[in-house]
Amino acid sequence: GESVGLHLPTLSVQEGDNSIINCAYSNSASDYFIWYKQESGKGPQFIIDIRSNMDKRQGQRVTVLLNKTVKHLSLQIAATQPGDSAVYFCAETKNDYKLSFGAGTTVTVRA
Amino acid sequence: DAGVTQSPTHLIKTRGQQVTLRCSPISGHKSVSWYQQVLGQGPQFIFQYYEKEERGRGNFPDRFSARQFPNYSSELNVNALLLGDSALYLCASSLGSESKAFFGQGTRLTVV
């Protein structure tokens, strides 16, 4: 069945360093991917999205890379800040209305 | 601009009771989706409504139902509550039925 998984459940990063969060997806028919950030006690916050006809998209301090050959998605955060500490989810869909989420990666930023 | 708003923020119910959760989408958004997030896991899709019609349903029992009103707000109803229904219930709105979704802060439901 469809599933979206993250390579590592936790990531510890030094403040100021770059972070890379990885995600593997299994449904080759998926055509739209979103990264969300969820802080404790809050709902998921949209970070960046990418469609399957692209392999890279950049936002403010974030970059999403999509490798359809190996069904891999990554989120890069430049100059990680304490406010970046949260759980990060990748979500995928093949019809744009039902999002399938992985279990998430907890990012902890060390001062 | 107001984001997605959900009410109540917290709720405690007893097994067997019924609960209604409410969601107001971002102004101009016509689609509302509901997700259940159990502690330590990613959100699981329950329903999507677009233009007041159900567009999709996840793998949840018939105890879960929802509707969307003419102003595009939505309610999620859960009957005959079980302990396992304890979770964070998230509402997401999007402009159309096929566009990026923005989430509310969720309703934390505890069933005792």
Side-chain angles (χ1 to χ4, degrees), chain A residues 8 23 31 40 62 73 75 77 90 97:
Chain A
L8 291 173
C23 177
D31 58 6
S40 180
V62 295
L73 192 70
L75 177 70
I77 305 174
C90 64
Y97 76 82

mmCIF file of all heavy atoms in Angstrom, chain A residues 8 23 31 40 62 73 75 77 90 97:
data_model
loop_
_atom_site.group_PDB
_atom_site.id
_atom_site.type_symbol
_atom_site.label_atom_id
_atom_site.label_comp_id
_atom_site.label_asym_id
_atom_site.label_seq_id
_atom_site.Cartn_x
_atom_site.Cartn_y
_atom_site.Cartn_z
ATOM 1 N N LEU A 8 15.201 8.851 9.345
ATOM 2 C CA LEU A 8 15.627 8.922 10.728
ATOM 3 C C LEU A 8 14.549 9.573 11.567
ATOM 4 O O LEU A 8 14.025 10.601 11.191
ATOM 5 C CB LEU A 8 16.917 9.747 10.835
ATOM 6 C CG LEU A 8 18.175 9.136 10.235
ATOM 7 C CD1 LEU A 8 19.316 10.136 10.276
ATOM 8 C CD2 LEU A 8 18.543 7.857 10.955
ATOM 9 N N CYS A 23 13.297 11.682 3.363
ATOM 10 C CA CYS A 23 12.006 11.011 3.313
ATOM 11 C C CYS A 23 11.993 10.078 2.107
ATOM 12 O O CYS A 23 12.386 10.470 1.004
ATOM 13 C CB CYS A 23 10.900 12.062 3.203
ATOM 14 S SG CYS A 23 9.237 11.398 3.040
ATOM 15 N N ASP A 31 2.337 12.528 -7.176
ATOM 16 C CA ASP A 31 2.763 13.618 -8.047
ATOM 17 C C ASP A 31 2.882 14.957 -7.328
ATOM 18 O O ASP A 31 3.168 15.981 -7.957
ATOM 19 C CB ASP A 31 1.804 13.750 -9.231
ATOM 20 C CG ASP A 31 0.363 13.992 -8.795
ATOM 21 O OD1 ASP A 31 0.124 14.163 -7.577
ATOM 22 O OD2 ASP A 31 -0.519 13.991 -9.667
ATOM 23 N N SER A 40 5.297 21.614 19.128
ATOM 24 C CA SER A 40 4.532 20.972 20.187
ATOM 25 C C SER A 40 3.233 21.725 20.462
ATOM 26 O O SER A 40 3.240 22.937 20.673
ATOM 27 C CB SER A 40 5.379 20.909 21.458
ATOM 28 O OG SER A 40 4.667 20.282 22.501
ATOM 29 N N VAL A 62 14.984 27.306 2.949
ATOM 30 C CA VAL A 62 14.679 25.881 2.736
ATOM 31 C C VAL A 62 14.743 25.524 1.264
ATOM 32 O O VAL A 62 14.449 26.352 0.401
ATOM 33 C CB VAL A 62 13.291 25.507 3.306
ATOM 34 C CG1 VAL A 62 13.262 25.649 4.816
ATOM 35 C CG2 VAL A 62 12.189 26.327 2.653
ATOM 36 N N LEU A 73 12.809 12.091 -1.145
ATOM 37 C CA LEU A 73 12.520 13.517 -0.957
ATOM 38 C C LEU A 73 13.371 14.014 0.203
ATOM 39 O O LEU A 73 13.549 13.297 1.192
ATOM 40 C CB LEU A 73 11.041 13.671 -0.615
ATOM 41 C CG LEU A 73 10.360 15.029 -0.611
ATOM 42 C CD1 LEU A 73 10.233 15.548 -2.025
ATOM 43 C CD2 LEU A 73 8.983 14.908 0.029
ATOM 44 N N LEU A 75 14.505 17.651 2.637
ATOM 45 C CA LEU A 75 14.324 19.058 3.008
ATOM 46 C C LEU A 75 15.632 19.549 3.587
ATOM 47 O O LEU A 75 16.153 18.962 4.535
ATOM 48 C CB LEU A 75 13.202 19.205 4.036
ATOM 49 C CG LEU A 75 12.963 20.626 4.555
ATOM 50 C CD1 LEU A 75 12.356 21.486 3.453
ATOM 51 C CD2 LEU A 75 12.069 20.620 5.787
ATOM 52 N N ILE A 77 17.525 22.728 5.360
ATOM 53 C CA ILE A 77 17.334 23.985 6.069
ATOM 54 C C ILE A 77 18.699 24.633 6.248
ATOM 55 O O ILE A 77 19.597 24.030 6.847
ATOM 56 C CB ILE A 77 16.666 23.773 7.443
ATOM 57 C CG1 ILE A 77 15.344 23.004 7.293
ATOM 58 C CG2 ILE A 77 16.418 25.118 8.133
ATOM 59 C CD1 ILE A 77 14.705 22.622 8.623
ATOM 60 N N CYS A 90 6.995 14.754 5.935
ATOM 61 C CA CYS A 90 6.768 14.835 4.507
ATOM 62 C C CYS A 90 5.408 14.198 4.231
ATOM 63 O O CYS A 90 4.989 13.288 4.940
ATOM 64 C CB CYS A 90 7.866 14.146 3.710
ATOM 65 S SG CYS A 90 8.004 12.381 3.967
ATOM 66 N N TYR A 97 -5.807 15.495 -2.937
ATOM 67 C CA TYR A 97 -6.722 15.790 -1.845
ATOM 68 C C TYR A 97 -6.450 14.947 -0.616
ATOM 69 O O TYR A 97 -6.672 15.386 0.490
ATOM 70 C CB TYR A 97 -8.187 15.654 -2.277
ATOM 71 C CG TYR A 97 -8.715 14.245 -2.419
ATOM 72 C CD1 TYR A 97 -9.161 13.523 -1.320
ATOM 73 C CD2 TYR A 97 -8.793 13.649 -3.658
ATOM 74 C CE1 TYR A 97 -9.661 12.240 -1.447
ATOM 75 C CE2 TYR A 97 -9.293 12.364 -3.793
ATOM 76 C CZ TYR A 97 -9.723 11.664 -2.697
ATOM 77 O OH TYR A 97 -10.217 10.396 -2.842
#
